[in-house]
Amino acid sequence: MSATDQRPVLVVDFGAQYAQLIARRVREANVYSEIVPHTITAAEVAARNPAGIVLSGGPSSVYEPGSPSLDPGILQLGVPVMGICYGFQVMAQQLGGEVAKTGRREYGATTLSVHGDGGALLAGQPETQTTWMSHGDSVVKAPEGFTVLASTDDTPVAAFESDERRLYGVQWHPEVKHSEFGQRVLENFLHHAAGIAPDWNSGSVIAEQVERIRAQVGDARVICGLSGGVDSAVAAALVHAAVGDQLVCVFVDHGLLRADERRQVEEDYVAATGIRLVTVDARAQFLDALTGVTDPETKRKIIGREFIRTFENAAEALVLEAQGAGEAVKYLVQGTLYPDVVESGGGTGTANIKSHHNVGGLPDDLEFELVEPLRTLFKDEVRAIGRELGLPEPIVARQPFPGPGLGIRIIGEVTQERLDLLREADAIVRAELTAAGLDTQIWQCPVVLLADVRSVGVQGDGRTYGHPIVLRPVSSEDAMTADWTRLPYDVLARISNRITNEVDGVNRVVLDVTSKPPGTIEWE
């Protein structure tokens, strides 16, 4: 079942920090979901013909003037609706229940008591379970005709339902892992209460996108800027599966890559896909442009500018080549993901993302139409599709890596000597994390060179004055917030010993234990 064939579950966003997470959890239940703003009208919802609706949480109080509201007609459409936290309270208020500030707030892990058989939402679950609450207001009276399904010590109406009207709600957050049976609650709503079959998967996405790409592209030529990252690699593989040799990928080696990345793209990726790849060696060009530059933002702008120039020159050469063969290059593949669309104001699925938003600053007047086969997908779904397409695991499982590469992981001027030093240290860190089986337990581990800092050390019975290397292992789901990863001490010790023994010019390894916020994931 494809995204376009399956009626979507609409996640109505009331300003929740977890709206995207709710949409992901729905998809983990093999049901297609889309995020829409709370300002959507009943007529707009009806036009989308959803299979179900989930109302998200939010930071407001339903009785405050100007708080986010819901078109009351949405609850009269006969579409199954589930409210979560603030969405639960909006439902209760609009349907004649009562919401109040009781002075008995609940934040964090909270014990829940299930009443009777739990109804449709809580069927088959333990009478007592741990849920994750985050609310100051409470539903103190359920709407007429609704059955109260659960309560806590401080919240007498923690869940309710009207199975006849197909309306349901919970006060806690089932989408977060801290809620013990949270995914089961969502699946009960989706599969049982709403009757939605769990038939949306990566295989159906591939079939759908191949069909759509062929319809869009026809017999025209297509180009793709391949970075070696997951998004562009999977997007290119999908397009190649659809139009074959009509696609040409351009890989710009700016000299700021990590060890072995160019070989992975040129050999492993090409061997797995059969894609025609044009590599542009621009290492000297980028290094010259960065000479003497230390300001982080200036570095980013220079790297972005030089990348655009290099890509455009390569694209122009390919256009001339195609014209000589009587063909046209009309399309540019872009690895836009669904979070890019949502965060750019496109939660309704109608926003037009500018070309410069997701391709490192490509100009608005770029003379290509965009092909965006991943724009309805989250990162984990993209990885699953990449594996199904047979892409090499080092590319599919690659952790996030900034477009400016090692250029922004050197604190100070970027030089060839410093790049070589950082590349060697980074390779050691990645090798040790892989050997310890920790790759899937962290979001990423930036390795930073403090090039403008020196520290005194003792190596070989002599005094040294070398650079410190910073390890920045972080855990995150979406990179909006992050915490530092508690790596085992023995792994940290091996990394430190290897770097200080094997990398000339480094005599100290330090660990960054700052969360985000207040710190960012990258140092620059």
Side-chain angles (χ1 to χ4, degrees):
M1 181 71 67
S2 72
T4 53
D5 291 336
Q6 188 179 68
R7 295 165 59 200
V9 166
L10 300 182
V11 177
V12 178
D13 185 3
F14 285 105
Q17 59 178 321
Y18 292 135
Q20 286 192 32
L21 186 56
I22 294 170
R24 286 181 57 181
R25 296 293 183 245
V26 171
R27 293 184 182 199
E28 288 171 11
N30 297 114
V31 174
Y32 180 65
S33 64
E34 295 178 358
I35 300 172
V36 297
H38 68 86
T39 53
I40 193 169
T41 66
E44 289 170 334
V45 169
R48 302 284 286 271
N49 190 28
I53 298 170
V54 179
L55 309 180
S56 84
S60 304
S61 294
V62 294
Y63 47 76
E64 289 181 352
S67 61
S69 61
L70 183 75
D71 183 339
I74 291 174
L75 299 179
Q76 312 303 323
L77 293 174
V79 177
V81 181
M82 175 180 174
I84 293 174
C85 194
Y86 181 83
F88 171 64
Q89 295 171 7
V90 167
M91 288 182 70
Q93 183 188 60
Q94 289 195 356
L95 295 169
E98 185 180 346
V99 180
K101 187 179 291 294
T102 64
R104 302 163 74 178
R105 300 179 296 176
E106 291 177 316
Y107 296 102
T110 305
T111 300
L112 181 86
S113 297
V114 177
H115 298 179
D117 63 4
L121 281 188
L122 308 181
Q125 297 180 32
E127 291 183 7
T128 302
Q129 57 183 268
T130 300
T131 60
W132 191 260
M133 295 281 191
S134 181
H135 67 103
D137 301 337
S138 296
V139 176
V140 296
K141 179 184 176 183
E144 185 176 348
F146 278 68
T147 302
V148 176
L149 304 179
S151 61
T152 71
D153 288 344
D154 293 317
T155 303
V157 184
F160 60 42
E161 73 178 24
S162 172
D163 214 20
E164 181 182 357
R165 299 175 64 180
R166 308 180 81 188
L167 301 176
Y168 313 82
V170 298
Q171 180 61 69
W172 66 95
H173 287 274
E175 72 274 17
V176 303
K177 295 294 187 183
H178 304 292
S179 289
E180 215 174 357
F181 295 90
Q183 188 65 14
R184 180 92 64 85
V185 173
L186 287 170
E187 290 176 359
N188 278 352
F189 168 70
L190 296 167
H191 303 322
H192 304 300
I196 306 171
D199 52 12
W200 187 78
N201 53 55
S202 58
S204 64
V205 173
I206 292 172
E208 175 209 9
Q209 287 302 327
V210 164
E211 183 179 337
R212 291 183 63 183
I213 293 164
R214 286 174 179 163
Q216 178 185 5
V217 171
D219 59 1
R221 293 278 294 277
V222 190
I223 62 171
C224 176
L226 195 64
S227 68
V230 179
D231 303 339
S232 65
V234 174
L238 261 177
V239 173
H240 187 258
V243 299
D245 292 341
Q246 292 170 232
L247 171 69
V248 179
C249 287
V250 177
F251 176 65
V252 177
D253 183 355
H254 47 36
L256 309 174
L257 301 169
R258 295 183 292 187
D260 204 38
E261 288 189 318
R262 176 168 172 171
R263 185 205 62 77
Q264 283 181 359
V265 173
E266 291 184 324
E267 297 179 16
D268 297 347
Y269 183 77
V270 171
T273 61
I275 289 175
R276 180 189 170 193
L277 178 69
V278 174
T279 298
V280 180
D281 191 335
R283 290 176 290 183
Q285 170 188 334
F286 278 76
L287 202 56
D288 287 346
L290 290 168
T291 299
V293 179
T294 59
D295 177 70
E297 190 59 25
T298 304
K299 282 186 194 176
R300 287 180 178 270
K301 289 179 178 178
I302 289 172
I303 294 168
R305 180 195 70 206
E306 295 302 316
F307 180 86
I308 292 166
R309 289 177 177 171
T310 306
F311 180 81
E312 286 182 332
N313 289 338
E316 185 178 350
L318 289 171
V319 168
L320 292 173
E321 173 192 300
Q323 288 173 344
E327 301 170 331
V329 179
K330 293 178 57 178
Y331 297 96
L332 170 68
V333 178
Q334 181 170 274
T336 307
L337 301 190
Y338 193 49
D340 300 328
V341 177
V342 173
E343 291 166 9
S344 301
T348 61
T350 59
N352 179 23
I353 305 301
K354 294 182 179 180
S355 59
H356 63 73
H357 181 77
N358 288 314
V359 196
L362 287 175
D364 293 326
D365 60 356
L366 193 69
E367 295 181 357
F368 299 107
E369 293 181 38
L370 295 181
V371 178
E372 299 175 301
L374 309 179
R375 67 178 285 119
T376 63
L377 305 176
F378 290 99
K379 177 78 78 172
D380 51 344
E381 295 165 339
V382 171
R383 293 189 199 278
I385 288 170
R387 290 186 174 98
E388 192 152 338
L389 289 169
L391 297 188
E393 191 62 22
I395 289 179
V396 175
R398 183 189 185 194
Q399 294 171 352
F401 186 63
L406 298 180
I408 59 166
R409 291 183 177 176
I410 294 175
I411 310 303
E413 182 184 5
V414 178
T415 67
Q416 188 63 57
E417 179 184 6
R418 291 172 174 181
L419 282 168
D420 292 341
L421 185 155
L422 179 55
R423 210 173 344 252
E424 189 176 356
D426 177 84
I428 289 171
V429 174
R430 288 191 290 147
E432 290 298 333
L433 291 176
T434 299
L438 296 171
D439 286 340
T440 59
Q441 296 183 30
I442 62 173
W443 174 262
Q444 60 173 303
C445 185
V447 180
V448 181
L449 171 65
L450 303 184
D452 288 344
V453 176
R454 298 271 184 164
S455 66
V456 175
V458 179
Q459 291 171 300
D461 295 328
R463 180 184 183 276
T464 61
Y465 198 48
H467 298 290
I469 284 285
V470 181
L471 308 182
R472 176 72 166 132
V474 292
S475 300
S476 177
E477 280 203 337
D478 55 12
M480 299 301 292
T481 60
D483 193 15
W484 66 281
T485 307
R486 276 65 167 173
L487 295 178
Y489 289 155
D490 59 333
V491 175
L492 291 171
R494 282 197 301 274
I495 289 173
S496 178
N497 289 340
R498 284 197 59 191
I499 290 176
T500 54
N501 287 339
E502 300 174 27
V503 182
D504 289 337
V506 176
N507 62 6
R508 195 177 297 271
V509 176
V510 299
L511 179 66
D512 183 347
V513 295
T514 313
S515 63
K516 176 187 179 182
T520 54
I521 292 178
E522 298 290 345
W523 273 48
E524 289 202 342

